[in-house]
Amino acid sequence: MRSDGFIRGFCFCFFLIFSCLPPWKMYLLPPAMILGLPSHVELNHQVEELRLSDWFHPGKRPDVTTKTDWLAPIVWEGTFDRQVLEKHYRRRNITVGLAVFATGRFAEEYLRLFLHSANKHFMTGYRVIFYIMVDTFLQLPDIEPSPLRTFKAFEVDAERWWLDGSLVHMKSLGEHITSHIQDEVDFLFSMAVNQVFQNEFGVETLGPLVAQLHAWWYFRNTKNFPYERRPTSAACIPFGQGDFYYGSLMVGGTPHNILDFIEEYLNGVIHDIKNGLNSTYEKHLNKYFYLNKPTKLLSPEYSWDLTFSPPPQIQYVKVAHDSQRKL
């Protein structure tokens, strides 16, 4: 058993080391090395690490692809044991963030449907902080108060609106992650507002870096995905390469990993602008996941396009959107 004096000395040494580091360097350190974080992000060594085989049972869905070449799980209805996951994450006492960007002509209508459905189906029974970013002041819809639900609204500077919407969204989200979100939540999802939760979106979706399989392209029997192919673009994935085609309506993970993606995306946009190019957010997203393999993939059930009738593989639509409706 270590004495109190040893522990105090150990902590003091770490304080001296960290006090000499510039703030941005702190983001490169593993969480276990950062002292003084809020209790909800401290590592609890009494909680055993959850093994994939404890909760994931791919053999129950032989009709679909359930693992990647790098052995990351692809989560479908029927492949996960919710009770095991619930037990694990409740012991960790987690908080989950959900960031949404509400702009444009139909922002209030979309936001009302999004928040009401998310309040009902997103991480029920866990602490959730909703981060709502708007271009003008919008009145939040009336939602029944809950000690587990916190809603925070932020207005994006009007002067930024000459930029691409996705660029504004990611830049604003990155700033909020740096200033406060990383100290408030264990996991963070960024989602488009033109979606409606229809079934439980639970802890089976959590992971260090979570990608959403594109509902249309998953069922296309082709490798000719619509990646960016121009060699001079930062988003380029050459012909013959690539794994899956990922949708841009959702990205998730730890705040640190979401911030890393945002930084790479913004750098890619700057690179493309200098080269006279304008690749889409979704193509930059696919390039990032090609280089940084996601640790978990969500099936098209978690972002089904209502334009298409669900095939037999889609047993439960968790989240729905309509690609023909524009913001």
Side-chain angles (χ1 to χ4, degrees):
M1 179 71 68
R2 293 172 176 168
S3 67
D4 291 342
F6 176 88
I7 295 175
R8 286 196 297 269
F10 180 81
C11 293
F12 181 69
C13 290
F14 267 82
F15 172 77
L16 290 178
I17 294 172
F18 291 153
S19 65
C20 297
L21 293 175
W24 67 271
K25 285 284 190 180
M26 296 289 288
Y27 303 144
L28 303 180
L29 297 172
M33 294 181 63
I34 303 177
L35 302 179
L37 287 177
S39 60
H40 75 273
V41 293
E42 291 177 354
L43 294 183
N44 185 348
H45 296 290
Q46 295 180 350
V47 178
E48 294 182 1
E49 187 65 28
L50 191 65
R51 297 173 301 178
L52 185 61
S53 60
D54 291 336
W55 65 271
F56 187 62
H57 309 293
K60 293 185 177 181
R61 289 298 304 271
D63 57 323
V64 292
T65 302
T66 53
K67 278 192 177 182
T68 68
D69 292 342
W70 58 95
L71 302 181
I74 303 176
V75 178
W76 293 83
E77 182 65 29
T79 61
F80 56 89
D81 188 325
R82 188 179 297 277
Q83 290 185 341
V84 171
L85 290 167
E86 294 276 0
K87 182 178 179 181
H88 173 75
Y89 284 109
R90 291 195 187 285
R91 291 176 64 192
R92 286 189 56 183
N93 197 26
I94 62 170
T95 299
V96 182
L98 176 55
V100 61
F101 202 53
T103 64
R105 180 179 177 185
F106 303 106
E108 283 200 49
E109 176 188 354
Y110 279 129
L111 185 60
R112 178 178 57 83
L113 294 172
F114 181 91
L115 288 181
H116 275 290
S117 64
N119 192 46
K120 181 179 180 180
H121 296 296
F122 182 81
M123 301 293 164
T124 56
Y126 294 88
R127 287 192 306 270
V128 175
I129 301 177
F130 294 91
Y131 301 103
I132 306 160
M133 288 171 279
V134 296
D135 57 344
T136 57
F137 182 77
L138 295 179
Q139 184 174 356
L140 296 181
D142 291 332
I143 296 177
E144 185 176 349
S146 167
L148 295 177
R149 300 318 215 200
T150 303
F151 297 85
K152 298 185 178 183
F154 305 96
E155 186 173 354
V156 178
D157 295 338
E159 63 188 27
R160 292 183 174 183
W161 284 103
W162 63 273
L163 295 170
D164 173 78
S166 297
L167 184 62
V168 174
H169 183 181
M170 287 296 112
K171 190 173 189 304
S172 298
L173 180 57
E175 292 169 355
H176 286 296
I177 291 174
T178 300
S179 65
H180 61 95
I181 290 177
Q182 63 180 346
D183 298 324
E184 297 174 344
V185 302
D186 302 279
F187 299 96
L188 176 66
F189 289 90
S190 174
M191 299 184 69
V193 72
N194 59 333
Q195 302 183 95
V196 178
F197 292 82
Q198 297 192 340
N199 281 288
E200 181 70 12
F201 191 107
V203 290
E204 76 279 0
T205 64
L206 298 177
L209 187 60
V210 182
Q212 172 65 62
L213 289 174
H214 195 284
W216 167 259
W217 284 103
Y218 174 82
F219 292 100
R220 303 298 291 176
N221 187 21
T222 177
K223 281 293 184 181
N224 191 26
F225 294 135
Y227 297 136
E228 173 61 74
R229 301 298 190 181
R230 293 173 292 182
T232 53
S233 172
C236 178
I237 298 178
F239 284 99
Q241 299 184 31
D243 306 305
F244 298 92
Y245 193 75
Y246 303 103
S248 59
L249 299 183
M250 191 284 296
V251 62
T254 62
H256 172 82
N257 284 337
I258 298 299
L259 185 61
D260 183 71
F261 159 65
I262 292 173
E263 292 174 347
E264 289 298 314
Y265 164 63
L266 296 178
N267 288 335
V269 170
I270 293 172
H271 174 276
D272 280 7
I273 290 175
K274 290 180 179 179
N275 286 276
L277 301 173
N278 185 24
S279 192
T280 66
Y281 166 75
E282 188 167 85
K283 292 181 179 179
H284 282 284
L285 177 77
N286 273 272
K287 178 59 177 288
Y288 182 83
F289 281 135
Y290 174 61
L291 297 177
N292 304 270
K293 305 301 186 189
T295 59
K296 180 177 288 183
L297 286 68
L298 303 185
S299 75
E301 298 166 320
Y302 289 86
S303 185
W304 185 252
D305 189 341
L306 294 177
T307 305
F308 309 105
S309 298
Q313 296 92 330
I314 304 295
Q315 297 183 359
Y316 293 95
V317 174
K318 313 286 187 175
V319 183
H321 72 277
D322 188 344
S323 61
Q324 294 185 349
R325 295 189 67 185
K326 303 300 181 182
L327 289 176

